[in-house]
Amino acid sequence: MSVAAVDYWRSLPGWFNFEDVYQLAVANSRDGDTLVEVGVFLGKSLCMLLQEVDRSGRPLSVVGVDAFRIDDEYFGQVMMPWGELARDCKVRDTSR
């Protein structure tokens, strides 16, 4: 069983409670479409979307758009390790 199959994204920090919206987006997309998440924050929902695309086995692309910097009183200054997130989500490139 792959890591994607056990919903790795659930172990990530952050807030995300609209899985059904992303599942519908993947289900209703056409082969070759690009799904875009604006406002990635800690990456939890982006990782779920990546895993959902991976599970579909379809040639879809996913793009995450963010400043990739968190700087406030609660979190302090954090630069997210996005390469590690992509690796840890255990997804494959289905866009080719």
Side-chain angles (χ1 to χ4, degrees), residues 39-95:
V40 173
F41 193 49
L42 296 174
K44 187 171 195 157
S45 56
L46 181 64
C47 189
M48 184 276 179
L49 180 58
L50 287 166
Q51 289 184 338
E52 197 64 28
V53 166
D54 187 56
R55 280 192 187 113
S56 78
R58 298 177 49 223
L60 302 171
S61 297
V62 175
V63 174
V65 180
D66 203 299
F68 298 109
R69 179 181 173 145
I70 303 161
D71 191 5
D72 67 20
E73 292 178 22
Y74 182 74
F75 287 100
Q77 187 178 42
V78 179
M79 296 300 288
M80 296 303 297
W82 297 107
E84 291 175 24
L85 176 65
R87 181 198 66 220
D88 292 344
C89 285
K90 303 291 190 219
V91 296
R92 67 183 188 284
D93 182 356
T94 61
S95 65

Side-chain angles (χ1 to χ4, degrees), residues 2-15:
S2 71
V3 172
V6 295
D7 294 331
Y8 170 77
W9 64 270
R10 292 183 191 278
S11 68
L12 297 174
W15 304 270

